[in-house]
């Protein structure tokens, strides 16, 4: 029956059409089984501000998975290389030992301050503060003390790198300005000195400041907190000023020595402190002080002292001399600070074997010169223009 139906030409054409259509439909629906893996479908286009749909349950083609695995591996290798480079950089700039943590961090020392506190400690062991004017030659300091950190103030030069608000009060203005400006950044020890290498008051046989600085013993300063650079008692010790007595006789007093105005100045500078009966300290405002001693007083005290200098009507020679006989009190010593010359030379300069007959002086160390100005040609030429056997560097 079926064979007979297929034998007709028209019927045969119809059957052929139907069979062909069937296979076409089947191919379109199941092309992955007939042709293999298809090419990836284009990514859906999204409008700005919209998100592409997440086809979480549709497996991605194998080629895409391989591509993503390759990209992931490449990214991991790149991150490992960057991490190794960071570790090498840290070892170069920080420490020869590699940190155990994966992300290297600089390690703080046990003495480091918290990050919230300002850094105020100066690790320098010693600084020199020099009070000078333009006419003085300070070139000897960097030439002969090249390793010393010297702060050379020029009091009468407003354009100098280090200067003062006003050229008043002699070295006192310089010393106070340094303390005020550097209060939060002080070195461990400070030596306050004058500018001239050779000066009548320097405690040395040649009146030379260089050997006194070179032989100064820092351990003794650390112990004492304040140390005078002059050991001989001539001028200042054992008692230079009697404040109450000198004030009562101010009309007859030597107007250069400031004795007659010391009591009033002391009361203004140190209110609430009992004025001492006697004040004694070897002259002449050259001394060493530790950082802790300076900071035993608040910075405001030193500002007040300098304001007093700036505002006082006293002559420059007088207001500076007040401080000459007040520094040791400001820095915590008794009003009479006069250690024996033998003790001082040994402790301050390490000169422990020189003969000393009394508390005042030791043989061969210091002789009060006939004039405050040394002769021209000193130290090679003496007072009578004689040649001197000076052996120090020039």
């Amino acid at each position: 029956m079926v064979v007979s139906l297929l034998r007709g030409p028209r019927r045969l054409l119809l059957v052929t059409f139907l069979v062909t259509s069937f296979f076409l439909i089947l191919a379109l629906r199941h092309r992955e089984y007939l042709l293999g893996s298809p090419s990836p479908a284009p990514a859906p286009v999204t409008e700005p501000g919209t998100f592409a749909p997440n086809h979480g349950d549709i497996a991605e083609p194998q080629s895409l998975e391989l591509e993503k695995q390759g990209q992931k591996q490449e990214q991991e290798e790149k991150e490992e290389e960057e991490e190794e480079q960071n570790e090498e950089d840290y070892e170069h700039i920080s420490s020869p030992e590699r940190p155990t943590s994966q992300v290297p961090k600089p390690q703080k020392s046990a003495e480091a301050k918290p990050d919230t506190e300002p850094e105020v400690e100066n690790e320098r062991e010693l600084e020199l503060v020099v009070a000078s004017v333009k006419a003085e030659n300070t070139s000897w300091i960097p030439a002969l003390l090249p390793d010393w950190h010297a702060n050379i103030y020029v009091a009468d030069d407003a354009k100098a790198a280090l200067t003062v608000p006003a050229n008043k009060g002699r070295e006192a203005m310089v010393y106070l300005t340094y303390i005020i400006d550097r209060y939060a950044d002080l070195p461990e020890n400070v030596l306050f000195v004058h500018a001239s290498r050779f000066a009548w008051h320097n405690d040395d046989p040649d009146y030379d400041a260089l050997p006194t600085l070179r032989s100064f013993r820092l351990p003794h300063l650390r112990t004492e907190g304040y140390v005078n650079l002059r050991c001989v008692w001539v001028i200042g010790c054992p008692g230079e000023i009697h404040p109450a007595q000198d004030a009562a006789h101010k009309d007859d007093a030597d107007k250069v020595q400031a004795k007659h105005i010391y009591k009033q100045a002391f009361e203004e500078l140190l209110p609430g402190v009992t004025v001492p009966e006697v004040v004694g300290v070897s002259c002449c405002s050259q001394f060493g002080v530790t950082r802790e001693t300076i900071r035993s007083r608040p910075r405001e005290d030193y500002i007040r002292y300098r304001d007093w200098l700036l505002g006082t009507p006293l002559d420059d020679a007088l207001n500076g001399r007040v401080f000459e006989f007040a520094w040791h009190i400001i820095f915590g010593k008794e009003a009479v600070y006069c250690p024996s010359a033998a003790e001082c030379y040994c402790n301050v300069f390490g000169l422990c074997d020189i003969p000393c007959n009394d508390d005042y002086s030791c043989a061969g160390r210091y002789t009060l010169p006939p004039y405050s100005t040394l002769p021209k040609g000193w130290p090679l030429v003496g007072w009578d223009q004689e040649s001197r056997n000076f052996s120090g560097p020039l």
Side-chain angles (χ1 to χ4, degrees):
M1 179 71 179
V2 173
V3 174
S4 62
L5 288 173
L6 294 176
R7 285 179 180 176
R10 293 180 179 178
R11 289 192 180 102
L12 181 60
L13 182 61
L14 178 60
V15 171
T16 301
F17 174 77
L18 291 175
V19 171
T20 303
S21 299
F22 172 78
F23 280 102
L24 285 173
I25 294 172
L26 183 64
L28 290 173
R29 287 178 172 270
H30 303 283
R31 61 181 179 174
E32 64 268 27
Y33 297 106
L34 299 175
L35 302 176
S37 298
S39 59
V45 179
T46 59
E47 296 293 332
T50 64
F51 297 93
N54 181 12
H55 304 285
D57 296 332
I58 300 178
E60 294 185 354
Q62 185 177 4
S63 61
L64 287 180
E65 291 180 352
L66 293 174
E67 182 179 355
K68 288 192 174 183
Q69 288 178 359
Q71 293 175 349
K72 182 177 181 181
Q73 183 176 359
E74 182 181 351
Q75 180 65 25
E76 290 176 349
E77 291 175 354
K78 184 177 180 180
E79 291 176 354
E80 289 176 359
E81 290 177 357
E82 292 177 351
E83 183 174 315
E84 291 175 358
Q85 183 63 42
N86 288 337
E87 291 179 352
E88 292 174 359
D89 292 342
Y90 177 75
E91 289 175 350
H92 176 68
I93 65 175
S94 177
S95 170
E97 297 181 0
R98 178 171 297 189
T100 56
S101 59
Q102 184 177 2
V103 181
K105 295 180 180 179
Q107 301 296 316
K108 291 184 178 181
S109 65
E111 297 179 356
K113 290 182 173 295
D115 294 338
T116 56
E117 294 184 11
E119 191 66 33
V120 296
E121 295 301 334
N122 182 337
E123 296 304 323
R124 192 174 288 117
E125 184 179 38
L126 175 67
E127 287 189 16
L128 198 65
V129 176
V130 183
S132 76
V133 292
K134 290 186 291 186
E136 293 177 298
N137 182 7
T138 59
S139 62
W140 64 276
I141 297 173
L144 299 175
L145 299 170
D147 297 329
W148 290 49
H149 183 88
N151 303 273
I152 302 177
Y153 285 76
V154 187
D156 58 348
D157 185 358
K159 296 182 179 179
L162 293 173
T163 189
V164 292
N167 183 20
K168 190 177 181 182
R170 299 190 176 181
E171 71 279 334
M173 181 64 73
V174 169
Y175 297 176
L176 289 170
T177 297
Y178 172 85
I179 293 173
I180 293 168
D181 292 346
R182 295 289 303 279
Y183 189 88
D185 184 32
L186 289 167
E188 182 184 353
N189 306 282
V190 187
L191 293 184
F192 294 91
V193 299
H194 298 173
S196 297
R197 176 183 171 184
F198 296 96
W200 70 268
H201 51 72
N202 289 332
D203 199 338
D204 177 78
D206 297 309
Y207 310 112
D208 188 357
L210 182 62
T212 64
L213 294 176
R214 283 179 168 174
S215 59
F216 185 82
R217 301 180 70 245
L218 284 176
H220 181 61
L221 176 58
R222 294 189 185 102
T223 300
E224 291 294 315
Y226 163 91
V227 170
N228 199 331
L229 291 182
R230 185 175 162 93
C231 294
V232 65
W233 282 20
V234 176
I235 304 181
C237 284
E240 179 72 11
I241 300 176
H242 298 75
Q245 180 179 338
D246 293 335
H249 299 86
K250 60 182 179 181
D251 293 337
D252 302 326
D254 185 345
K255 298 299 189 287
V256 178
Q257 295 188 13
K259 294 181 178 181
H260 60 294
I261 52 92
Y262 186 88
K263 179 178 182 294
Q264 179 180 345
F266 187 97
E267 292 171 339
E268 293 172 355
L269 290 169
L270 299 168
V273 179
T274 302
V275 179
E277 294 183 4
V278 183
V279 176
V281 66
S282 190
C283 80
C284 295
S285 289
Q286 295 191 112
F287 49 83
V289 193
T290 63
R291 174 170 56 207
E292 289 72 18
T293 298
I294 292 175
R295 289 182 180 168
S296 64
R297 288 186 175 276
R299 181 172 178 267
E300 288 71 22
D301 279 4
Y302 301 105
I303 294 175
R304 181 164 49 81
Y305 301 154
R306 189 174 69 174
D307 288 344
W308 182 88
L309 266 183
L310 291 169
T312 182
L314 292 174
D315 180 79
D316 188 51
L318 293 178
N319 54 40
R321 191 157 280 123
V322 168
F323 278 93
E324 179 180 349
F325 290 95
W327 287 119
H328 65 294
I329 300 174
I330 289 173
F331 293 129
K333 295 300 182 182
E334 297 293 331
V336 176
Y337 178 70
C338 296
S340 70
E343 176 187 352
C344 179
Y345 283 124
C346 183
N347 292 332
V348 179
F349 303 116
L351 301 173
C352 301
D353 297 327
I354 54 177
C356 303
N357 299 323
D358 50 42
D359 290 339
Y360 290 73
S361 63
C362 295
R365 288 307 305 163
Y366 181 88
T367 302
L368 185 67
Y371 306 101
S372 61
T373 301
L374 300 179
K376 185 177 181 180
W378 188 273
L380 300 178
V381 178
W383 297 99
D384 298 322
Q385 298 301 303
E386 76 280 10
S387 295
R388 302 183 70 250
N389 297 322
F390 180 75
S391 58
L394 289 174

